[in-house]
Amino acid sequence: MQVTRAFKQAFLERMLLGFRATDVSSKSMSFQEKKSFIKLSADVAIAVARGSRKWTRGLIASVSKEQQKRLLPRVIPRKQYERLMKPCSSNSWKIPRSKKILRKSLRVSSTRRKKKLCAVEKRTRVLRRLVPGGESLSGFSLLDETLDYVLSLRAQVGLMQSLLMTCEASKRRAHELKCTSPETKASTVGNRGRCGMRTVVVKAEKQFSLLKKEF
Amino acid sequence: MEPGGSSGVGSGNSGTYTPEIAESLRFEEEIQSLIHQSFDGSSAAGGSFTALLGLPANQAVELLHHPGPGEPPASAASSSPTAGDLWRLRLGEHHAATDALRLPFGGSSTFVERAARFSVFATDDSPASSSGGGLSPGLKAEPPDSDSPPTLPAPAGRPRRPSKRKECEKSKAKAVAKKSKSAEENTSAAKPAAEENTSGDKLPYVHVRARRGQATDSHSLAERARREKINARMKLLQDLVPGCSKITGTALVLDEIINHVQSLQRQVEFLSMKLAAVNPRIDFSGLDHILSAECGPLAVGSGCGGGASGTAMWASDTAASTGGIRRMPPPQQIWHLDLVHPQQSSTVWENNGAAHPHFLLSPAISLVGYDPAGSVPLNSNQLKMEL
């Protein structure tokens, strides 16, 4: 079973960890930078949550190459990184094939199945570029990794969507609260004491009542 | 309900913590429910497939079986006892009929290969059958008459016929697939589930039988096995990618797969952009604790008061988020479906949301410290009763 609850939870945890590590909540970043960091966190999270597959290793390798070890040690704990990347000695390792068979198939394909080769081979090449780490995969394992990758991408998209929706919904509520109770602002600015908490409580209770009315 | 462990909370006022802690706990539970709901929701998209994908090879086997049946293993005596027994039984049943005996495949791709219907031909038996599973004479008598009729109406989409037979190290049950007229999908579907799941992904050695009139040299046999492997995977991918089941032809299916992967990657980028727009308001450092803690949820927001100070910041973010909206309808549609749930969690989010901007002002505050874990569960029950 691929898309399990544990997998999703692991993904969310890792992503939030990544957000924290890359500090996307700070004000000092540009929008593009924030977006790239969020995407980075999400991709790394999906790769780590999945475990040790060829595409995950390819993904992490490409990310680390891109980042040049800048942020990655923070986003991924060192131990897990070792564990994930250990089994793969080199990503560009070609699957060893008997030369005789290769020669024969080459001969056969060149003479007879030219058309089929072009159509399928082109697409296989494109797919290799899409799937991370796909350059070194044979036909069969490429399809296998694509399968896995598609499932993980789906889970990633779904979870990011729900996260986004929750954020937006709470933002909406925050605005409503702001509109309905402006007077409490003055009293609670910078105040972390009893009054502040009470105000928060009051606001939350208002929200609950609103919610009850809605449903 | 005393918030016993509220030492880290910062203001030593235990009395007011109670409702807040309750709310924050409620928030965590709602977040959990949101997550779980979204889990169900997001898995529902591929739910029917992913459920099947639990045993992908099973699926493949099932797919294989759909158009056509499999044959009972002639070599029932050879290896796997359970499968062998089943097959022997079925041999007995179907001795008269020429119906296919579905193979109770273990669900590995090995079985996929073996399960490919292949006709049992006496001629091809001797050279290839080095595996040691000899055909029972009864079965041998059967195939010649049963094979010829089914051979002609080759079931659509199932051109696969039995291939060759090789050495099988792992001594799995060998399947002698027999062509049949009637489909026994239900029984075959039950069988793979019942059978033990073998390797699943690996295809060490494949016992296949050479088809009539086909070359039996090792190279073409190997090629054929490889092709069948790839075709099995292509079938799985076809099921996964929506709208691909009707398409025939490898190139077109690959086209669809590529489009699907590209669209998913684009969706991820788009969502990350939206999250970047909405992000500054929510301090994500608190959330991971919420998600990780199952029984001892953090009262993230309860620790710091004064949430209203942050409200001013929120106004600035709406402009950024609305600017980013430009994309495809599909993400929007999907979002609307889930909209019901975030509403429930959002109220409790509000509690945190109110507190978070305060954290932004003072990033030095570590959220890890705010953990009146002991008191929280009690307050959550309280709050539950309120609602």
Side-chain angles (χ1 to χ4, degrees), chain B residues 201-274:
Chain B
D201 264 342
K202 301 287 180 227
L203 258 175
Y205 287 98
V206 172
H207 271 276
V208 280
R209 176 158 286 242
R211 272 182 262 167
R212 186 177 205 167
Q214 299 260 351
T216 53
D217 61 316
S218 57
H219 296 311
S220 50
L221 293 180
E223 274 178 38
R224 201 176 305 133
R226 187 179 140 266
R227 263 204 304 265
E228 286 174 0
K229 258 186 358 183
I230 291 182
N231 284 337
R233 280 283 175 258
M234 287 288 296
K235 273 237 164 262
L236 288 179
L237 273 170
Q238 258 187 311
D239 282 339
L240 188 63
V241 175
C244 223
S245 28
K246 305 184 199 112
I247 301 180
T248 50
T250 316
L252 299 172
V253 168
L254 278 178
D255 255 348
E256 286 300 313
I257 294 169
I258 288 171
N259 282 335
H260 193 55
V261 169
Q262 277 173 344
S263 80
L264 284 173
Q265 285 176 340
R266 264 184 260 129
Q267 274 188 31
V268 168
E269 270 209 51
F270 175 58
L271 284 171
S272 67
M273 178 182 73
K274 293 221 74 180

Side-chain angles (χ1 to χ4, degrees), chain B residues 169-207:
Chain B
E169 290 176 359
K170 292 195 177 174
S171 75
K172 293 180 190 145
K174 272 161 253 164
V176 174
K178 200 187 225 177
K179 276 165 272 170
S180 82
K181 301 165 192 160
S182 69
E184 293 189 13
E185 285 109 285
N186 46 1
T187 53
S188 69
K191 289 297 173 354
E195 268 296 326
E196 45 100 18
N197 188 15
T198 48
S199 70
D201 264 342
K202 301 287 180 227
L203 258 175
Y205 287 98
V206 172
H207 271 276

Side-chain angles (χ1 to χ4, degrees), chain A residues 84-213:
Chain A
L84 278 179
M85 302 295 276
K86 198 165 38 103
C88 170
S89 52
S90 136
N91 258 343
S92 56
W93 171 66
K94 286 267 174 202
I95 287 130
R97 293 197 177 99
S98 152
K99 285 218 172 119
K100 204 165 159 194
I101 295 179
L102 277 175
R103 252 181 276 139
K104 179 167 183 182
S105 66
L106 201 63
R107 212 185 317 138
V108 165
S109 60
S110 63
T111 55
R112 230 180 303 160
R113 291 182 288 158
K114 214 162 197 178
K115 278 215 171 76
K116 187 181 179 194
L117 212 66
C118 285
V120 172
E121 274 302 310
K122 274 188 214 165
R123 285 153 177 92
T124 314
R125 238 176 286 142
V126 175
L127 196 61
R128 279 213 174 89
R129 254 181 277 133
L130 280 181
V131 175
E135 304 292 331
S136 57
L137 296 177
S138 71
F140 175 72
S141 29
L142 180 68
L143 290 179
D144 209 18
E145 295 297 316
T146 311
L147 199 67
D148 216 53
Y149 186 54
V150 165
L151 284 171
S152 310
L153 273 181
R154 273 209 192 152
Q156 185 182 20
V157 165
L159 286 169
M160 283 174 83
Q161 272 173 357
S162 50
L163 185 67
L164 185 71
M165 256 192 305
T166 317
C167 290
E168 285 186 342
S170 74
K171 186 180 203 170
R172 213 176 25 245
R173 298 249 167 238
H175 268 287
E176 287 174 19
L177 261 189
K178 188 176 87 167
C179 299
T180 53
S181 61
E183 66 278 2
T184 54
K185 224 201 279 192
S187 64
T188 57
V189 171
N191 187 1
R192 257 188 287 162
R194 192 177 314 179
C195 312
M197 286 185 299
R198 284 222 183 98
T199 333
V200 172
V201 171
V202 164
K203 278 193 222 151
E205 283 171 359
K206 276 191 203 163
Q207 285 233 319
F208 282 128
S209 56
L210 280 170
L211 179 68
K212 275 190 238 177
K213 279 182 212 156

Side-chain angles (χ1 to χ4, degrees), chain A residues 48-91:
Chain A
V48 173
R50 185 62 188 96
S52 180
R53 302 278 312 214
K54 297 215 175 72
W55 67 265
T56 62
R57 280 184 235 131
L59 190 61
I60 295 179
S62 68
V63 161
S64 62
K65 215 189 301 179
E66 201 185 336
Q67 289 289 319
Q68 290 150 357
K69 299 280 184 184
R70 231 188 330 132
L71 286 169
L72 213 62
R74 277 191 279 156
V75 173
I76 314 177
R78 176 67 56 181
K79 234 186 293 182
Q80 270 179 327
Y81 181 79
E82 302 290 319
R83 205 181 343 132
L84 278 179
M85 302 295 276
K86 198 165 38 103
C88 170
S89 52
S90 136
N91 258 343

